[in-house]
């Protein structure tokens, strides 16, 4: 039996996890959030990006870094928060600000302060620390970010921090102990799942970039993908790919509603 890819005219596997920045799907919200974040970093301020899992935060961050933060102007340090201890966080802060990663917190603070004193606007480099999956930050580690409050001049900061995480990040920031940290954040960005029509365009887009000349999903299949995946990009990817496999196994050239329903049963029994 031939491969499902050749049946539907794909030259690569569609709906995979990795997606090149230039091939990503864009809509109004993605563009707005991107522009807002660029604006905040341009001003050397910090920001938060919150959205449920699978809605496109990490992908958007990659677009931000690759397309909008040129190396001649920004020094970006990206880290996933999972399991970050206080000591790790000090190291990440130091790396991001371009100071020696001191062993202890007080010496890090000293190093950052020195850096602050010597850093001039003419040097032009804007350090940015991106903390992805920040909802997993332990409160005491988050508290370290308070160090930033000491480095303000002309109400701008030396180091911009981008906190990116799932919905519980909002609660984490709300805790009074972190009021100093929240107060540093100039912008709260939120991503939402795709709408019904966007989900259709998304599936079409991801089919096309993988080589399909005819979108191999009929309208009812697209409806079902939206009803089940609710515009979550990761869920949509899994469902679309599995539906293609199911349709192929049944020797169908177009994915219909039943194929999507069968795919759901396999994926989420
Ligand atoms: N703009 C986009 N264009 C095309 N595909 C995308 C886009 N955004 C996300 N995806 C797809 O959806 C998947 C999930 O997106 P991503 O990893 O960015 O979500 P996330 O919000 O960071 O999720 P988590 O909170 O679980 O880390 C990606 O692996 C990618 O395949
Ligand atoms: Mg992510």
């Amino acid at each position: 039996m031939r491969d499902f890819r050749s049946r539907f005219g794909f030259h690569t596997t569609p709906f995979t996890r990795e997606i090149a920045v230039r091939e990503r799907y864009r809509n109004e919200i993605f563009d707005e959030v991107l522009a807002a974040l660029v604006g905040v970093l341009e001003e050397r301020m910090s920001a938060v990006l919150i959205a449920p899992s699978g809605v496109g935060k990490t992908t958007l961050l990659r677009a931000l870094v690759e397309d909008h933060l040129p190396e001649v102007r920004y020094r970006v340090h990206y880290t996933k928060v999972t399991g970050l201890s206080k000591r790790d966080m000090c190291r990440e802060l130091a790396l991001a600000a371009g100071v020696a990663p001191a062993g202890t917190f007080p010496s890090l603070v000293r190093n950052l302060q020195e850096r602050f004193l010597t850093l001039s606007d003419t040097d032009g480099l804007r350090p940015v620390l991106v903390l992805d999956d920040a909802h997993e930050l332990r409160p005491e580690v988050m508290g370290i970010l308070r160090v930033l409050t000491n480095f303000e001049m002309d109400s701008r900061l030396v180091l911009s921090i981008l906190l990116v995480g799932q919905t519980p990040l909002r609660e984490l920031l709300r805790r009074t102990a972190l009021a100093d940290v929240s107060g540093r954040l100039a912008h709260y960005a939120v991503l939402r799942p795709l709408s019904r029509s966007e989900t259709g365009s998304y599936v079409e887009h991801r089919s096309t970039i993988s080589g399909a000349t005819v979108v191999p999903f009929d309208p009812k299949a697209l409806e079902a993908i939206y009803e089940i995946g609710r515009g979550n990009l990761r869920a949509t990817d899994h469902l679309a790919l599995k539906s293609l496999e199911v349709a192929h196994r049944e020797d169908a050239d177009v994915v219909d509603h039943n194929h999507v329903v069968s795919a759901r049963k396999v994926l989420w029994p």
Side-chain angles (χ1 to χ4, degrees), residues 5-25:
R5 280 167 295 210
S6 59
R7 174 191 296 272
F8 300 110
F10 296 118
H11 52 60
T12 59
T13 305
F15 302 102
T16 51
R17 211 155 66 88
E18 289 305 322
I19 175 124
V21 163
R22 67 178 158 14
E23 290 190 328
R24 76 190 202 281
Y25 168 81

Side-chain angles (χ1 to χ4, degrees), residues 15-19 23-26 30 51-60 80 132-133 135 165-166 191 202 205-206 232-234 237:
F15 302 102
T16 51
R17 211 155 66 88
E18 289 305 322
I19 175 124
E23 290 190 328
R24 76 190 202 281
Y25 168 81
R26 295 171 57 173
F30 287 133
S53 177
V55 166
K57 298 182 294 299
T58 300
T59 306
L60 190 80
K80 287 226 185 218
D132 200 356
D133 296 335
H135 56 280
Q166 296 173 13
L191 285 179
Y202 175 74
H205 174 78
R206 296 224 48 178
N232 182 294
L233 285 81
R234 188 176 290 132
D237 287 350

Side-chain angles (χ1 to χ4, degrees), residues 30 39 62 71 81 83 102 117 129-130 137 151 163 181:
F30 287 133
R62 283 176 43 225
E71 280 174 27
V81 158
L117 289 172
L129 175 61
V130 181
L137 272 175
F151 302 113
L163 291 171
V181 175

Side-chain angles (χ1 to χ4, degrees), residues 21-22 24 26 34 61-70:
V21 163
R22 67 178 158 14
R24 76 190 202 281
R26 295 171 57 173
L34 204 52
L61 282 182
R62 283 176 43 225
L64 173 71
V65 175
E66 283 182 36
D67 283 354
H68 299 276
L69 304 180

